[in-house]
């Protein structure tokens, strides 16, 4: 048995865990990722990144890496024959990127390595214990049992999360009532099923997604076995496929067969003590909209900078409550939208008029943007403190031009906050008020008039506006507002206004200074 310390232990090397590890590594926090599988899985669960994920990745200068991997499409399947008009969205990325989840994980793994994150494969978590200073994890490793120590532990280990169970966090919701079969197969006649939905004569249908050397077929399983974990056989898949189509389509080769359901669950809390949950460990939902990978990245980008500040001793642990508040609300919305899509899609002829109505709304000029932004998460808006009704409050801040011919995302790549200032409208004491947070927040002057009705906007590291200072403002009042906003999101000011970063291992070393 050996003892090894990390600031944060991350369990699971999927999109949530790897994104979180990258955010922590960027913040100078020592993160160790534990993955139970010795090798990356060859099975690909999803094939897209949506505008929301690309916007967040763009804040770290990573979007171009992903965009180089696949095609972009201005629309995506919705319900029935309806499509979402993504080009109508108010975003810098009004499309969906076709990219396999396996490739997303490869790119995130490469980024994690660049940031010095340690990824341990073949390491399975079997126990954990919390105390006032951290979490002890019992792990089965290739060379035997291992005990690891971290200040915090993040569970990113999927819908059947070991972390969630060991932490005793409840997972309420609705069990799966409808099931579907998924097959990665090679067809004897590749032209037998075109891309998209093929309807059968008796109400059945099959969705076909072409891949480089096979196709992915998805179809409802009307009479699943009592044991939902019973393996899907070739004969069973062929039977259900032919029944849905009302004709025989020969399968020449099987790559993978599986069954999935429409269960919808959301944890009661996203963290308990020093244990946090992200991605499928925190919420599972019907597969409508192929939103799972994107929601996982969203969770990680929201949590990463907050946990980084707390782990470094620069902000109190109470900052993590905003992770629960913001992403639990987003998770509830995710369940509602995916369940609605699944119910409408599976409603048969009785709901055909509703599907037709949604098809019209998805492309109508007045409603297309709202519907697409809601389904993809682009419309995400977090609760704002001291809200004044400004349209940017709680929203992802648009890409505003800065005075020095730079753009906002360039400043966000460091992982810190940005205080946007309109120097023609901001009272003089504002910059001085922000100085004690210079190690965490960069002031940046924008071109005059580019902050509508505001003299300052505090942009959180995840790109969302944490606070908007409205015009007009008195010098003293503005300075107080800035200090309050910076303290709320980035912890107390450094004593004396100078820089005094706290060593990341202050929890484990008796000689390190206490958190400020």
């Amino acid at each position: 048995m050996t003892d090894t310390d990390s600031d944060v232990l991350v369990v699971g090397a999927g999109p949530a865990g790897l994104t979180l590890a990258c955010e922590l590594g960027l913040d100078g926090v020592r993160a160790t990722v534990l993955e139970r599988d010795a090798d990356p899985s060859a099975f690909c669960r999803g094939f897209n990144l949506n505008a929301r994920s690309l916007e967040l990745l763009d804040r770290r200068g990573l979007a171009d890496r992903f965009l180089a991997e696949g095609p972009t499409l201005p629309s995506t399947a919705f319900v029935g024959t309806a499509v979402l008009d993504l080009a109508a969205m108010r975003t810098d990325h009004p499309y969906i990127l076709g990219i396999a989840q396996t490739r997303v994980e490869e790119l995130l793994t490469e980024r994690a390595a660049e940031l010095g994150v340690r990824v341990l494969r073949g390491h399975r978590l079997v126990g954990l214990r919390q105390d006032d200073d951290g979490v002890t994890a019992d792990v089965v490793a290739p060379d035997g049992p291992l005990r690891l120590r971290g200040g915090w532990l993040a569970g990113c280990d999927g819908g059947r999360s070991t972390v969630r169970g060991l932490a005793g966090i409840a997972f309420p919701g609705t069990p799966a009532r409808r099931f579907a079969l998924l097959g990665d197969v090679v067809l004897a006649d590749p032209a037998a099923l075109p891309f998209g939905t093929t309807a059968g004569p008796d109400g059945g249908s099959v969705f076909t997604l072409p891949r480089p050397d096979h196709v992915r077929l998805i179809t409802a399983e009307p009479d699943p076995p009592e044991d939902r974990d019973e393996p899907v056989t070739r004969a069973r898949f062929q039977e259900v496929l032919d029944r849905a189509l009302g004709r025989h389509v020969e399968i020449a080769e099987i790559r993978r067969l599986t069954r999935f359901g429409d269960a919808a669950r959301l944890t009661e809390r996203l963290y308990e003590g020093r244990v946090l949950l992200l991605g499928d460990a925190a919420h599972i939902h019907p597969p409508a909209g192929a939103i799972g990978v994107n929601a996982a990245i969203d969770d990680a980008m929201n949590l990463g900078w907050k946990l980084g500040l707390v782990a470094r001793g620069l902000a109190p642990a109470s900052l993590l409550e905003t992770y629960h508040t913001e992403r639990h609300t987003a998770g509830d919305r995710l369940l509602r939208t995916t369940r609605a899509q699944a119910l409408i899609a599976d409603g048969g002829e009785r709901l055909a008029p509703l599907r037709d109505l949604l098809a019209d709304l998805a492309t109508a000029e007045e409603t297309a943007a709202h519907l697409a932004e809601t389904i993809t998460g682009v419309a995400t808006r977090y609760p704002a403190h001291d809200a004044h009704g400004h349209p940017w409050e709680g929203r992802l801040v648009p890409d505003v031009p800065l005075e020095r011919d730079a753009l906002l995302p360039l400043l966000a790549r460091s992982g810190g906050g940005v205080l946007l200032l309109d120097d023609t409208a901001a009272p003089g004491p504002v910059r001085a008020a922000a100085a004690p947070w210079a190690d965490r927040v960069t002031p940046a002057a924008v071109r005059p008039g580019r902050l509508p009705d505001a003299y300052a906007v505090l942009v959180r590291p995840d790109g969302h506006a944490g606070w908007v200072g409205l015009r007009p403002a008195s010098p003293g009042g503005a300075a107080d507002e800035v200090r309050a906003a910076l303290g709320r999101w980035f912890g107390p000011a450094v004593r004396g206004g100078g820089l005094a970063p706290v060593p990341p291992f202050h929890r484990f070393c008796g000689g390190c200074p206490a958190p400020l």
Side-chain angles (χ1 to χ4, degrees):
M1 304 292 287
T2 62
D3 292 313
T4 304
D5 287 345
S6 297
D7 279 334
V8 180
L9 297 174
V10 179
V11 181
L18 290 170
T19 302
L20 178 64
C22 288
E23 287 292 283
L24 294 170
L26 185 64
D27 214 18
V29 174
R30 295 187 185 183
T32 299
V33 179
L34 308 176
E35 170 54 51
R36 66 181 180 183
D37 294 333
D39 299 301
S41 174
F43 174 63
C44 184
R45 296 181 180 278
F47 294 96
N48 81 81
L49 286 180
N50 65 22
R52 172 70 176 171
S53 291
L54 293 170
E55 285 181 331
L56 293 172
L57 291 168
D58 204 19
R59 295 306 192 273
R60 297 294 179 266
L62 299 177
D64 288 346
R65 297 192 190 191
F66 292 85
L67 289 169
E69 295 290 327
T72 58
L73 301 172
S75 62
T76 186
F78 185 30
V79 292
T81 58
V83 296
L84 284 176
D85 181 10
L86 304 177
M89 295 190 298
R90 293 159 292 185
T91 171
D92 293 331
H93 303 281
Y95 40 73
I96 191 170
L97 170 66
I99 181 173
Q101 179 176 331
T102 49
R103 184 56 181 153
V104 170
E105 293 172 0
E106 289 173 357
L107 291 173
L108 290 172
T109 300
E110 292 172 6
R111 178 57 175 162
E114 293 171 5
L115 296 168
V117 173
R118 183 172 57 161
V119 179
L120 303 179
R121 288 197 164 273
H123 285 61
R124 179 168 57 91
L125 180 76
V126 294
L128 64 83
R129 294 175 300 284
Q130 297 193 59
D131 55 49
D132 291 342
D133 296 318
V135 183
T136 300
D138 294 321
V139 177
V140 175
D143 295 331
L146 185 67
R147 180 169 295 154
L148 301 177
R149 178 75 173 170
W152 302 83
L153 186 144
C156 310
D157 52 341
R160 299 185 180 185
S161 171
T162 298
V163 173
R164 188 182 63 236
L166 291 174
I169 301 176
F171 200 34
T174 58
R177 296 186 176 91
R178 297 178 178 84
F179 292 85
L181 299 183
L182 181 152
D184 287 336
V185 304
V186 177
L187 298 178
D189 176 10
L193 291 173
F195 168 70
T197 301
T198 300
D202 298 322
S205 65
V206 176
F207 179 76
T208 304
L209 179 67
R211 302 305 302 149
D213 59 352
H214 66 279
V215 295
R216 170 162 291 185
L217 305 180
I218 301 175
T219 186
E221 186 179 29
D223 50 352
E226 288 188 13
D227 181 5
R228 305 302 192 242
D229 293 327
E230 179 181 306
V232 181
T233 65
R234 178 175 185 149
R236 173 61 174 168
F237 189 82
Q238 184 76 68
E239 172 199 351
V240 174
L241 176 66
D242 292 351
R243 190 192 317 173
L245 294 170
R247 58 188 172 91
H248 181 66
V249 172
E250 183 68 26
I251 296 174
E253 181 184 340
I254 297 291
R255 299 289 178 83
R256 184 183 178 95
L257 300 176
T258 189
R259 173 184 294 107
F260 62 89
D262 63 347
R265 296 185 181 276
L266 176 64
T267 56
E268 286 187 350
R269 294 209 30 99
L270 295 185
Y271 77 101
E272 185 65 43
R274 289 176 172 266
V275 175
L276 307 107
L277 299 175
L278 299 80
D280 287 352
H283 41 70
I284 58 173
H285 52 84
I291 197 73
V293 171
N294 300 279
I297 291 174
D298 216 341
D299 286 347
M301 291 292 287
N302 184 286
L303 174 62
W305 64 276
K306 299 172 182 177
L307 184 56
L309 287 170
V310 173
R312 291 163 60 203
L314 295 174
S318 57
L319 180 61
L320 300 178
E321 186 64 28
T322 67
Y323 167 64
H324 167 76
T325 301
E326 294 175 351
R327 293 309 299 169
H328 196 274
T329 300
D332 182 68
R333 184 167 55 248
L334 173 68
L335 264 60
R336 284 188 282 113
T337 57
T338 53
R339 290 180 67 195
Q341 292 175 77
L343 287 170
I344 294 168
D346 295 338
E349 187 60 29
R350 184 172 64 90
L351 294 184
L354 182 56
R355 288 193 291 273
D356 292 340
L357 173 62
L358 285 173
D360 292 340
L361 295 176
T363 55
E365 182 178 353
E366 299 83 357
T367 53
H370 175 75
L371 192 55
E373 290 175 9
T374 299
I375 296 300
T376 61
V378 168
T380 298
R381 185 171 196 164
Y382 297 135
H385 294 267
D386 303 323
H388 302 293
H390 191 278
W392 289 7
E393 287 176 336
R395 295 291 299 268
L396 201 72
V397 176
D399 188 4
V400 296
L402 309 180
E403 274 192 346
R404 296 186 177 182
D405 295 324
L407 297 173
L408 176 58
L410 294 177
L411 286 180
R413 291 182 181 183
S414 66
V418 179
L419 180 63
L420 298 176
L421 296 168
D422 185 338
D423 283 338
T424 64
V430 167
R431 281 184 178 270
W437 285 269
D439 60 328
R440 285 157 273 175
V441 179
T442 302
V446 303
R447 295 176 186 173
R450 300 310 293 263
L451 300 182
D453 302 319
Y455 67 86
V457 176
L458 179 59
V459 184
R460 309 183 332 180
D462 60 2
H464 282 257
W467 164 80
V468 177
L470 299 184
R471 305 178 188 176
S474 65
D480 289 342
E481 287 183 347
V482 168
R483 281 190 287 264
L486 289 167
R488 178 182 302 118
W489 290 114
F490 294 92
V494 174
R495 295 189 186 112
L499 302 184
V502 177
F505 276 85
H506 68 84
R507 289 182 304 281
F508 304 121
C509 174
C512 292
L516 297 176

